[in-house]
Amino acid sequence: MSRMVTSPQVVNIADLRLLARRRLPRMAFDYIDGGADGETTLRENCRVYEDVTLRPRSAVVAKSVDLRTTVLGIELALPVLLAPVGSCRLFWPRGEAAAARAAGKAGTAYILSTLSGTRLEEVKAASTGPCFYQLYLCGGRDVALATIARARAAGFSALVVTIDTPVSGLRERDFRDGVKELLSGRPFTMLPFVGQILARPRWLAAFLADGGLMSFPNIVLKEGPMPYADVGLALEESATCWEDLGWIREAWGGPVVVKGVHTADDARRAVDAGASAIVVSNHGGRQLDGVAPTLRVLPEVVAAVGDRVEVLLDGGIRRGGDVVKALCLGARAVLVGRAYAYGLAAGGEAGVARAIGILRADLGRTLKLLGCPSVAALDASHVRVPAHWR
Ligand SMILES: Cc1cc2nc3c(=O)[nH]c(=O)nc-3n(C[C@H](O)[C@H](O)[C@H](O)COP(=O)(O)O)c2cc1C
């Protein structure tokens, strides 16, 4: 089935999502697909793009369009980076390395989550492109300092500090799918929920051949890599606060990106704390449900700090047209999470390559239809936003 990702019938990200659903057990698919609480923000992140309409310049022939940009001075072939997505080995063997490889070949950056099952050195070595490291403080300051030193030595280009996870959001689907029970390791507790796993024998065989349930080799505690089941508590005990940015920045010594900004006030605070870029992000609707969709708050954040740092955005990007709208409203580039995670789950590296290929083709076509020669030339004149946004 993984070969199906290259089929001509796979034309958009929604098609990759369906393939992912067919290959993964329900709990793994829902882990990618779901959001927090009533999933209002998750839905709105995608829907809000419909509120913004495009204003093309017709009868303009742009034979070739330039998709290149730079983020933090790093050249990218297109303004789409792969967002940090934890637990990728649940989707595909050594999933983080597969995704990083696809990103590198496509000429863009891969952001590795702290909560990954593959050693950061292996992930960096897999990619020919730039890699950023996303930091949670699981295990405390000393553990984080050791990881920061490893990431620097391995050649990661930037540190992405996620600030929207003081506790894990409540993902209701995880409860229904029995994630806690499946992680308990107790056969009788697990029994009611194992059917979904046995129903996907190919996934199961690949998962077991890849070592089964991973631990986190980039969170090295005194006892060794942090076990999978301990994530929730570890996040809660090690929530990042503004005061942490000082020592993180000093230890890293390179550009720091703050991810999880929702308001102009926090954007200013992040910049004052030394951020080189910020990501307007609500974690893909997986943390605080009920916050505004990211595209809606982007103009406020750009107005506050856009002349001081690069502003990136993620959340709800499923088409190249979405990328265009975010860039017109002031984003330097976007991050995609689920768009490539579906591809990874459907077909490993080939699936991620397909996801990026779909977005790249969309982007090029949309620019031509807009009569715009490059992503650099996109601006507010190419979109119309609802009057009440102003
Ligand atoms: C399965 C999954 C796991 C994620 N894990 C992390 C993570 O470990 N760290 C982080 O900062 N963000 C994480 N995110 C959030 C993404 O980085 C990104 O903000 C979000 O996916 C963007 O929304 P989108 O999925 O609609 O593109 C995760 C998202 C998904 C879908």
Side-chain angles (χ1 to χ4, degrees):
M1 201 189 87
S2 57
R3 262 175 276 131
M4 285 175 69
V5 294
T6 51
S7 149
Q9 267 135 29
V10 172
V11 290
N12 61 26
I13 300 298
D15 294 331
L16 289 175
R17 177 180 178 272
L18 291 180
L19 291 180
R21 192 162 72 180
R22 275 167 56 187
R23 186 177 162 271
L24 293 179
R26 197 179 60 235
M27 53 84 186
F29 175 75
D30 280 346
Y31 168 68
I32 300 176
D33 198 57
D37 303 277
E39 301 189 341
T40 311
T41 298
L42 169 64
R43 281 190 299 277
E44 276 295 294
N45 269 353
C46 295
R47 196 213 54 78
V48 71
Y49 288 94
E50 294 173 16
D51 289 344
V52 175
T53 51
L54 295 168
R55 301 180 68 244
R57 319 250 153 95
S58 297
V60 174
V61 181
K63 278 219 173 63
S64 69
V65 285
D66 189 353
L67 304 185
R68 289 171 304 169
T69 192
T70 61
V71 168
L72 299 171
I74 299 165
E75 284 191 18
L76 302 178
L78 72 169
V80 178
L81 296 83
L82 302 197
V85 166
S87 308
C88 283
R89 280 176 74 177
L90 266 187
F91 319 151
W92 195 266
R94 306 214 104 64
E96 295 88 359
R101 202 173 298 119
K105 285 182 185 168
T108 193
Y110 175 73
I111 308 175
L112 177 67
S113 164
T114 290
L115 298 175
S116 57
T118 310
R119 286 174 54 81
L120 61 88
E121 292 83 0
E122 180 183 335
V123 174
K124 179 69 185 82
S127 175
T128 51
C131 292
F132 300 175
Y133 188 79
Q134 179 267 322
L135 186 71
Y136 283 133
L137 301 180
C138 301
R141 184 166 168 160
D142 289 345
V143 171
L145 284 172
T147 308
I148 289 171
R150 276 174 61 192
R152 188 161 11 86
F156 282 75
S157 316
L159 200 61
V160 178
V161 180
T162 301
I163 60 165
D164 61 10
T165 316
V167 295
S168 247
L170 181 90
R171 322 238 166 93
E172 296 183 0
R173 298 194 208 186
D174 290 356
F175 284 82
R176 298 204 184 89
D177 295 339
V179 170
K180 204 166 116 213
E181 288 78 359
L182 287 167
L183 289 175
S184 73
R186 293 192 298 273
F188 279 112
T189 313
M190 293 163 76
L191 199 58
F193 299 100
V194 292
Q196 56 181 312
I197 292 173
L198 300 177
R200 295 288 187 269
R202 286 205 183 148
W203 172 86
L204 182 59
F207 178 68
L208 293 176
D210 189 42
L213 192 64
M214 70 241 187
S215 55
F216 295 111
N218 303 314
I219 308 173
V220 184
L221 310 173
K222 278 199 200 80
E223 319 75 78
M226 190 178 89
Y228 196 82
D230 294 357
V231 173
L233 189 62
L235 284 171
E236 217 165 313
E237 282 177 345
S238 61
T240 308
C241 60
W242 292 113
E243 288 69 38
D244 292 316
L245 282 177
W247 65 261
I248 290 172
R249 215 158 57 90
E250 203 171 305
W252 172 245
V256 168
V257 181
V258 171
K259 173 174 181 280
V261 170
H262 297 256
T263 62
D265 283 344
D266 273 1
R268 278 188 284 266
R269 196 150 187 192
V271 176
D272 291 345
S276 303
I278 59 169
V279 188
V280 177
S281 171
N282 53 40
H283 219 108
R286 302 165 73 81
Q287 286 297 111
L288 180 61
D289 193 28
V291 295
T294 45
L295 191 71
R296 180 70 183 89
V297 296
L298 177 65
E300 158 185 342
V301 172
V302 170
V305 299
D307 56 343
R308 294 164 71 194
V309 295
E310 290 177 351
V311 178
L312 311 176
L313 166 140
D314 73 24
I317 302 271
R318 303 290 183 269
R319 292 183 181 274
D322 302 339
V323 181
V324 164
K325 290 175 184 176
L327 265 49
C328 288
L329 294 185
R332 178 87 191 172
V334 301
L335 279 51
V336 293
R338 292 181 184 84
Y340 87 84
Y342 295 137
L344 181 64
E349 181 189 336
V352 178
R354 183 75 177 161
I356 300 171
I358 288 169
L359 294 173
R360 186 179 36 222
D362 276 5
L363 205 49
R365 192 178 53 253
T366 307
L367 283 181
K368 286 180 182 173
L369 288 168
L370 270 178
C372 180
S374 65
V375 294
L378 287 169
D379 62 27
S381 72
H382 292 99
V383 286
R384 182 174 287 116
V385 296
H388 68 274
W389 281 32
R390 294 206 190 87

Short mmCIF file of all heavy atoms in Angstrom, two decimals, residues 326-355:
data_model
loop_
_atom_site.label_atom_id
_atom_site.label_comp_id
_atom_site.label_asym_id
_atom_site.label_seq_id
_atom_site.Cartn_x
_atom_site.Cartn_y
_atom_site.Cartn_z
N ALA A 326 -1.21 32.70 3.88
CA ALA A 326 -0.42 33.02 5.08
C ALA A 326 0.73 33.97 4.73
O ALA A 326 1.02 34.92 5.47
CB ALA A 326 0.11 31.74 5.71
N LEU A 327 1.37 33.73 3.57
CA LEU A 327 2.47 34.61 3.18
C LEU A 327 1.97 36.02 2.86
O LEU A 327 2.61 37.02 3.21
CB LEU A 327 3.21 34.01 1.97
CG LEU A 327 4.46 33.17 2.28
CD1 LEU A 327 4.24 32.13 3.34
CD2 LEU A 327 5.04 32.55 1.03
N CYS A 328 0.79 36.10 2.22
CA CYS A 328 0.22 37.42 1.91
C CYS A 328 -0.07 38.20 3.20
O CYS A 328 0.00 39.43 3.22
CB CYS A 328 -1.07 37.28 1.12
SG CYS A 328 -0.79 36.73 -0.57
N LEU A 329 -0.41 37.48 4.26
CA LEU A 329 -0.72 38.17 5.52
C LEU A 329 0.53 38.37 6.39
O LEU A 329 0.42 38.74 7.56
CB LEU A 329 -1.81 37.41 6.29
CG LEU A 329 -3.19 37.40 5.60
CD1 LEU A 329 -4.23 36.73 6.48
CD2 LEU A 329 -3.65 38.82 5.26
N GLY A 330 1.69 38.10 5.83
CA GLY A 330 2.92 38.50 6.52
C GLY A 330 3.80 37.39 7.05
O GLY A 330 4.86 37.67 7.62
N ALA A 331 3.40 36.12 6.87
CA ALA A 331 4.29 35.04 7.34
C ALA A 331 5.48 34.93 6.40
O ALA A 331 5.35 35.07 5.19
CB ALA A 331 3.54 33.71 7.38
N ARG A 332 6.65 34.70 6.97
CA ARG A 332 7.86 34.49 6.16
C ARG A 332 7.79 33.12 5.46
O ARG A 332 8.20 32.95 4.32
CB ARG A 332 9.06 34.53 7.10
CG ARG A 332 10.36 34.29 6.43
CD ARG A 332 10.88 35.59 5.92
NE ARG A 332 12.02 35.40 5.04
CZ ARG A 332 12.55 36.39 4.34
NH1 ARG A 332 12.04 37.60 4.42
NH2 ARG A 332 13.58 36.18 3.58
N ALA A 333 7.29 32.14 6.21
CA ALA A 333 7.14 30.77 5.71
C ALA A 333 6.16 30.07 6.63
O ALA A 333 5.77 30.63 7.66
CB ALA A 333 8.50 30.05 5.72
N VAL A 334 5.76 28.86 6.27
CA VAL A 334 4.85 28.11 7.15
C VAL A 334 5.48 26.78 7.53
O VAL A 334 6.39 26.29 6.86
CB VAL A 334 3.48 27.84 6.47
CG1 VAL A 334 2.80 29.15 6.07
CG2 VAL A 334 3.64 26.92 5.25
N LEU A 335 4.95 26.21 8.60
CA LEU A 335 5.31 24.86 9.00
C LEU A 335 4.09 23.98 8.73
O LEU A 335 2.95 24.44 8.92
CB LEU A 335 5.60 24.79 10.50
CG LEU A 335 6.94 25.21 11.08
CD1 LEU A 335 7.37 26.58 10.61
CD2 LEU A 335 6.90 25.18 12.61
N VAL A 336 4.32 22.75 8.30
CA VAL A 336 3.20 21.81 8.20
C VAL A 336 3.46 20.62 9.12
O VAL A 336 4.58 20.14 9.22
CB VAL A 336 2.97 21.31 6.75
CG1 VAL A 336 2.50 22.45 5.86
CG2 VAL A 336 4.21 20.64 6.17
N GLY A 337 2.41 20.19 9.81
CA GLY A 337 2.51 19.03 10.70
C GLY A 337 1.78 17.84 10.09
O GLY A 337 2.39 16.96 9.48
N ARG A 338 0.46 17.88 10.19
CA ARG A 338 -0.31 16.72 9.72
C ARG A 338 -0.12 16.46 8.24
O ARG A 338 -0.10 15.30 7.82
CB ARG A 338 -1.80 16.92 10.04
CG ARG A 338 -2.09 16.89 11.54
CD ARG A 338 -3.57 17.06 11.80
NE ARG A 338 -3.86 17.12 13.22
CZ ARG A 338 -3.78 18.23 13.96
NH1 ARG A 338 -3.39 19.37 13.42
NH2 ARG A 338 -4.09 18.19 15.26
N ALA A 339 0.03 17.50 7.44
CA ALA A 339 0.13 17.30 5.98
C ALA A 339 1.24 16.29 5.66
O ALA A 339 1.06 15.43 4.80
CB ALA A 339 0.38 18.62 5.28
N TYR A 340 2.38 16.38 6.36
CA TYR A 340 3.43 15.40 6.04
C TYR A 340 3.32 14.14 6.91
O TYR A 340 3.74 13.06 6.50
CB TYR A 340 4.82 16.03 6.11
CG TYR A 340 5.49 16.03 7.48
CD1 TYR A 340 6.20 14.94 7.94
CD2 TYR A 340 5.42 17.16 8.31
CE1 TYR A 340 6.82 14.94 9.18
CE2 TYR A 340 6.04 17.18 9.54
CZ TYR A 340 6.73 16.07 9.98
OH TYR A 340 7.34 16.07 11.21
N ALA A 341 2.73 14.29 8.11
CA ALA A 341 2.58 13.10 8.97
C ALA A 341 1.66 12.07 8.30
O ALA A 341 1.90 10.87 8.38
CB ALA A 341 2.05 13.51 10.34
N TYR A 342 0.61 12.55 7.63
CA TYR A 342 -0.25 11.61 6.88
C TYR A 342 0.58 10.90 5.81
O TYR A 342 0.47 9.69 5.60
CB TYR A 342 -1.39 12.35 6.18
CG TYR A 342 -2.41 13.01 7.09
CD1 TYR A 342 -2.89 14.30 6.79
CD2 TYR A 342 -2.94 12.36 8.19
CE1 TYR A 342 -3.84 14.92 7.59
CE2 TYR A 342 -3.90 12.98 9.00
CZ TYR A 342 -4.33 14.26 8.69
OH TYR A 342 -5.27 14.88 9.48
N GLY A 343 1.42 11.67 5.12
CA GLY A 343 2.25 11.08 4.06
C GLY A 343 3.22 10.06 4.63
O GLY A 343 3.39 8.97 4.07
N LEU A 344 3.82 10.39 5.77
CA LEU A 344 4.77 9.48 6.41
C LEU A 344 4.07 8.18 6.78
O LEU A 344 4.60 7.08 6.56
CB LEU A 344 5.36 10.16 7.65
CG LEU A 344 6.39 9.36 8.45
CD1 LEU A 344 7.64 9.09 7.63
CD2 LEU A 344 6.76 10.09 9.74
N ALA A 345 2.89 8.30 7.36
CA ALA A 345 2.14 7.11 7.79
C ALA A 345 1.68 6.29 6.58
O ALA A 345 1.59 5.06 6.65
CB ALA A 345 0.93 7.53 8.63
N ALA A 346 1.41 6.96 5.48
CA ALA A 346 0.91 6.25 4.30
C ALA A 346 2.05 5.55 3.56
O ALA A 346 1.86 4.46 3.03
CB ALA A 346 0.21 7.23 3.37
N GLY A 347 3.24 6.17 3.53
CA GLY A 347 4.28 5.59 2.68
C GLY A 347 5.69 5.98 3.02
O GLY A 347 6.55 6.03 2.13
N GLY A 348 5.98 6.28 4.28
CA GLY A 348 7.35 6.58 4.69
C GLY A 348 7.92 7.79 3.95
O GLY A 348 7.21 8.77 3.69
N GLU A 349 9.21 7.68 3.59
CA GLU A 349 9.87 8.81 2.93
C GLU A 349 9.13 9.21 1.65
O GLU A 349 8.96 10.41 1.36
CB GLU A 349 11.32 8.44 2.60
CG GLU A 349 12.07 9.58 1.94
CD GLU A 349 13.45 9.19 1.41
OE1 GLU A 349 14.04 8.20 1.91
OE2 GLU A 349 13.93 9.87 0.48
N ALA A 350 8.68 8.22 0.87
CA ALA A 350 7.97 8.53 -0.38
C ALA A 350 6.69 9.30 -0.11
O ALA A 350 6.31 10.19 -0.88
CB ALA A 350 7.66 7.24 -1.13
N GLY A 351 6.03 8.98 1.00
CA GLY A 351 4.79 9.68 1.35
C GLY A 351 5.06 11.13 1.75
O GLY A 351 4.28 12.03 1.41
N VAL A 352 6.15 11.35 2.47
CA VAL A 352 6.50 12.73 2.85
C VAL A 352 6.88 13.51 1.59
O VAL A 352 6.47 14.66 1.40
CB VAL A 352 7.65 12.76 3.88
CG1 VAL A 352 8.02 14.19 4.23
CG2 VAL A 352 7.25 11.99 5.14
N ALA A 353 7.65 12.85 0.72
CA ALA A 353 8.04 13.51 -0.53
C ALA A 353 6.79 13.88 -1.34
O ALA A 353 6.72 14.96 -1.93
CB ALA A 353 8.94 12.59 -1.35
N ARG A 354 5.82 12.97 -1.32
CA ARG A 354 4.59 13.25 -2.06
C ARG A 354 3.85 14.45 -1.45
O ARG A 354 3.34 15.31 -2.17
CB ARG A 354 3.70 12.00 -2.02
CG ARG A 354 2.44 12.11 -2.80
CD ARG A 354 2.69 12.00 -4.28
NE ARG A 354 1.44 12.04 -5.01
CZ ARG A 354 1.35 12.32 -6.29
NH1 ARG A 354 2.42 12.58 -6.98
NH2 ARG A 354 0.18 12.33 -6.87
N ALA A 355 3.77 14.49 -0.13
CA ALA A 355 3.10 15.62 0.53
C ALA A 355 3.77 16.94 0.16
O ALA A 355 3.10 17.92 -0.19
CB ALA A 355 3.10 15.41 2.05
#
